[in-house]
Amino acid sequence: MTRRQISLILLVILALAAAYYYYGGHSTPKGQPALVSFSSGDVTPLKTAFNSSASSVRVLVMLSPT
């Protein structure tokens, strides 16, 4: 295989992974609460979901690309 073919294959795999991520659906297993979506302007849903489980262990992870 040439370097160009390998690059093309990797690009196709990346495009398929991105399509699956955005259009593959976001569901949760049975028994688990639904996913909570929020924007940077309104974190009320996150705060409500976080505070509603005060009797259990909670972990909040924030990731940044920089």
Side-chain angles (χ1 to χ4, degrees):
M1 286 189 132
T2 65
R3 187 176 239 173
R4 183 176 178 174
Q5 289 173 329
I6 293 172
S7 297
L8 182 61
I9 290 171
L10 289 175
L11 182 65
V12 169
I13 290 171
L14 181 64
L16 289 173
Y20 177 76
Y21 177 77
Y22 286 109
Y23 302 111
H26 302 346
S27 61
T28 57
K30 291 181 180 179
Q32 180 176 330
L35 297 173
V36 177
S37 297
F38 67 95
S39 66
S40 61
D42 182 24
V43 293
T44 305
L46 175 65
K47 183 179 177 182
T48 303
F50 190 82
N51 289 334
S52 68
S53 60
S55 62
S56 60
V57 175
R58 301 168 290 180
V59 176
L60 180 62
V61 178
M62 300 178 78
L63 302 175
S64 174
T66 57

